[in-house]
Amino acid sequence: MVHLKNTPRQLNHLAGLIEVFKTKLMVPISPAPPILVSVRFTYVLRDWAMHEWPIEDEKGSATPPPEGAWPCVGTVCDPIFELHLAATWPNLAEEMIVDNETYSDLDPTQAPSWSVRVKIDEEPQLLLGDLLKELLVVAAGKSDAMFVPPEGRDEGEGRDIQSALQRLTEPVPSISTLTSSVVSRARRKLTRESNNNVIPELLLNAMLEDLLPDVDPPPAPEPPDESGRLHDQLKSCSVSSLTHRAALLLCEAYQQHGGVRGMLHLWQEIILELRYRWDNNILLPWTEHGHPDLGASLLHQKLQLLNCCIERKRARENEALVQGPVEEEEASASEDEFFECEETVSDEDGSPLTRKGSVRRNDVFRDSKPQHPDGRLKRLGDMRLLDTGAPLYVPITQEPAPMTEDMLAEHEQSLVELGHGEEAAKLRAQMQSASLLSDMEAFKAANPGCKLDDFVRWHSPRDWNEGDTHSDDEDDDGGNAGDEQTDQPKPRGRLSKRMRLPGNIWAECWQSTKSVAARKQRRLFDDTKETEKTLQWLSSLRPSQLVLNLLPCLVHAAMQAFQVSEKCHPSLSLLYEQTFQRTVRATRMQELRHYEELVQKLCQLEMMVSRFQSLKAKFSSEVARDDEKEELARFVDCIMEKPEVKVIGAAKGPVGRVVHRMFAAARTRGRFTPAGNGGESALGEEAPTPATPTSSDFPPPEGREFILRTECPRPAPYSQVSPHRMYCVLTREEFRLSAAFSEDTAFH
């Protein structure tokens, strides 16, 4: 075995190696047996000038991401460092090859076998993965204490509050003193706010105008996956929603405008814009109407709740403007007129009267003045009231209070903390019956003369047994509402057993409620209070909490960007499916450790997608036929999975022609990177490279490998024939030669 740093001149070609092999072999017979030679030359391509990175489309612009996807995905630099082409001449007789110091006919374009391998950057700089790793560091809470100082008052204001009692005994300050104090405080406040502005004002206004435009934005086009797995299974939000857009914009502010400070600056400006829209009854753009979607992320639920509050406020104020004059007329018309009368008188049938218009019957007061129905929505089919026979109307009721998942959890916790027992159960029932009381009051206002049975027939039909009768005949007062209604058949039935139990909450609520229309009731959902709580929740988020609430949208955008490449290659499909399952678990569990595992998978997927895109762009041909394009696609699939792939057809196949064109383009631009410096040989200063055909478009080989084999008797002519082999590799850094010779030990 020989190992040298520099290649000897006489061994820099095949002829010299064959001479050494024969010398060491010492063949005892004549003529000498033939020597079989296998040659492998390795050519390296480092120039990708004809395939710029990132990949551009036919028009010369970068490929746009899908709607709602992460804008920049992939590696910063081309993940394919080098392309290694191995041209092989296997098992050739020594007479068929001429390779000496002055000439060589080992042209790679004439090699019968080609194989290609690529050198890949194992730790590339990722546009998406590295940013998500930085955000995970922020989500771990390492930036909370540094970037979230307590806001509010300054030191002077604090001293003023602390010394409030002492100021009571101080003399009254003059106007000039108060003016100078106010001016100095305002100046300090302006200075402090200007120092906190990380994003330039013009850029900030442009970002806010794009996120929350002053005019109604056009409806965003629905991306193709809105009905697919990403939208259905991820606990995130629509990629066209305000929350998703805000998450990407905040991430851009973090990446390009000051890190955490820039993100917090933009976030506070967004909160101010949300408060402005609440004050001016302006709905949020790209936000669904109605109750919060509990299947979405918590941040999206909060914005939905805020939008719902704005809707309730607008509806309430519009209703007040329309019904204001009507209510005033009703109030003036409903004023009672009183007359002097005796304390106690009797009517014609002897019933005692306590005051004008009020009759006492069976110790129950009834208003003799007919009650006008109020708050009717529509008739409920052909149903009628049990006592009066009047048509039963569906009342206008208050909408249930919208709640987010954290509000539901808080409400559930308050119910659990009540404990057990009858008293706790009663309190728990009262806390849950606010909506029931409101519906009962609205039902009484819309249906004068109704009773609990009528309410149950509308509100809970399952608790009314149609056709069933009471065990005892009850005489209900006020059975007829007018002569035209006496001919209507009276419905027969009774309440269910649970409704007739003693102490039933429905019966107790019915007895305690009055006849009040929905618009006159106390609001079940205080939109003003909930808005303030929502804005306070948004503004009090620390950087770690803000990033954790943004992560569902960010990983959704990442998966949206990778979805296009999912079906391109089997290995990408498998890795995408694994990443998708981790994404579903992370967005639903909402724990930092799950996001850390997910980011690792996203980095792997990002590297694989970048490699596939790079290889696909390099091994493509616009002039190739359909079958050749399929061959190129199969080659890319193979090289994604295998370290080295054989080229079908060598230089004459579709893949070989593409590879040849790569080397020819690099040689035309003169961008070959020789192994040595300043025109030195690729095999060392003292060992010039053998001459190559002038028509070759390939650079000098980076490595040359030779295997010489033969079979002959040793050490004597009559010895048994045995195999012999010599291997030699020549590169710029080293020269290695290894030989193995065998001898016949029995017949030597």
Side-chain angles (χ1 to χ4, degrees), residues 576-594:
Y576 180 88
E577 185 63 28
Q578 296 174 356
T579 309
F580 175 78
Q581 297 300 331
R582 291 182 181 269
T583 306
V584 173
R585 181 175 62 180
T587 55
R588 296 188 178 276
M589 300 300 294
Q590 200 63 12
E591 295 180 1
L592 187 59
R593 60 185 182 90
H594 293 299

Side-chain angles (χ1 to χ4, degrees), residues 398 429-440 509 521 524:
Q398 296 192 56
Q430 292 178 357
M431 292 177 61
Q432 295 176 318
S433 60
S435 179
L436 179 64
L437 290 171
S438 174
D439 293 344
M440 286 182 174
C509 292
Q521 297 175 5
L524 294 177

Side-chain angles (χ1 to χ4, degrees), residues 248-321:
L248 294 181
L249 195 61
L250 288 167
C251 193
E252 178 184 352
Y254 172 85
Q255 189 177 18
Q256 301 180 8
H257 305 290
V260 178
R261 290 186 182 273
M263 180 176 63
L264 294 181
H265 182 199
L266 178 59
W267 178 244
Q268 294 302 323
E269 293 294 333
I270 292 176
I271 294 175
L272 292 177
E273 181 66 22
L274 295 179
R275 179 173 292 278
Y276 172 81
R277 288 177 173 266
W278 157 255
D279 294 337
N280 294 274
N281 295 343
I282 304 176
L283 293 175
L284 303 183
W286 302 301
T287 303
E288 299 89 340
H289 301 284
H291 288 215
D293 182 11
L294 298 181
S297 62
L298 180 58
L299 182 60
H300 187 65
Q301 294 179 39
K302 292 295 183 180
L303 294 183
Q304 282 184 306
L305 178 62
L306 180 59
N307 205 42
C308 185
C309 293
I310 297 176
E311 289 179 344
R312 298 285 182 92
K313 181 183 176 183
R314 293 176 63 177
R316 187 179 70 254
E317 293 181 355
N318 293 336
E319 185 179 2
L321 292 176

Side-chain angles (χ1 to χ4, degrees), residues 414-435:
S414 63
L415 296 179
V416 172
E417 291 177 353
L418 293 176
H420 304 281
E422 296 183 0
E423 188 67 22
K426 187 175 182 180
L427 291 175
R428 194 177 293 110
Q430 292 178 357
M431 292 177 61
Q432 295 176 318
S433 60
S435 179

Side-chain angles (χ1 to χ4, degrees), residues 311-344:
E311 289 179 344
R312 298 285 182 92
K313 181 183 176 183
R314 293 176 63 177
R316 187 179 70 254
E317 293 181 355
N318 293 336
E319 185 179 2
L321 292 176
V322 174
Q323 298 181 355
V326 178
E327 292 183 354
E328 292 179 1
E329 295 177 2
E330 292 179 354
S332 61
S334 62
E335 293 180 357
D336 294 335
E337 185 177 2
F338 296 94
F339 299 91
E340 295 291 339
C341 63
E342 297 181 2
E343 185 69 22
T344 303

Side-chain angles (χ1 to χ4, degrees), residues 518-700:
R519 71 176 187 275
K520 301 177 182 179
Q521 297 175 5
R522 180 182 178 182
R523 286 181 290 169
L524 294 177
F525 176 69
D526 191 346
D527 47 65
T528 304
K529 178 181 177 181
E530 293 301 329
T531 298
E532 294 299 330
K533 291 173 61 177
T534 301
L535 292 176
Q536 176 63 23
W537 183 86
L538 293 174
S539 60
S540 62
L541 289 176
R542 302 177 70 84
S544 58
Q545 298 170 337
L546 176 60
V547 171
L548 192 60
N549 282 279
L550 294 178
L551 281 175
C553 297
L554 298 182
V555 297
H556 188 175
M559 297 301 295
Q560 185 79 10
F562 292 136
Q563 188 183 22
V564 180
S565 305
E566 173 209 354
K567 301 178 181 180
C568 296
H569 189 265
S571 61
L572 291 180
S573 301
L574 178 60
L575 186 56
Y576 180 88
E577 185 63 28
Q578 296 174 356
T579 309
F580 175 78
Q581 297 300 331
R582 291 182 181 269
T583 306
V584 173
R585 181 175 62 180
T587 55
R588 296 188 178 276
M589 300 300 294
Q590 200 63 12
E591 295 180 1
L592 187 59
R593 60 185 182 90
H594 293 299
Y595 280 109
E596 292 175 349
E597 297 175 358
L598 172 61
V599 169
Q600 295 297 329
K601 280 292 182 181
L602 284 173
C603 291
Q604 297 179 15
L605 182 59
E606 187 175 14
M607 287 189 292
M608 290 288 291
V609 170
S610 298
R611 294 172 186 173
F612 179 79
Q613 291 177 348
S614 178
L615 291 172
K616 185 178 179 181
K618 292 174 174 57
F619 291 95
S620 61
S621 177
E622 299 179 358
V623 298
R625 300 189 304 271
D626 292 340
D627 57 341
E628 294 178 346
K629 291 181 179 180
E630 294 179 0
E631 179 65 28
L632 291 171
R634 285 194 296 269
F635 177 81
V636 172
D637 293 343
C638 292
I639 205 169
M640 284 285 294
E641 299 177 353
K642 302 177 181 179
E644 186 170 346
V645 179
K646 185 177 180 180
V647 178
I648 299 177
K652 299 180 180 180
V655 178
R657 289 196 296 269
V658 172
V659 173
H660 190 180
R661 189 162 56 249
M662 293 181 187
F663 280 94
R667 184 177 182 86
T668 302
R669 287 186 298 272
R671 293 193 178 185
F672 280 142
T673 305
N677 296 325
E680 295 176 359
S681 170
L683 302 177
E685 296 180 356
E686 300 181 359
T689 305
T692 57
T694 57
S695 60
S696 176
D697 294 324
F698 293 84

Side-chain angles (χ1 to χ4, degrees), residues 436 440 452 499 501 503-513:
L436 179 64
M440 286 182 174
L452 178 61
M499 285 293 179
L501 292 176
N504 182 267
I505 187 65
W506 284 53
E508 295 179 358
C509 292
W510 183 261
Q511 295 296 331
S512 62
T513 54

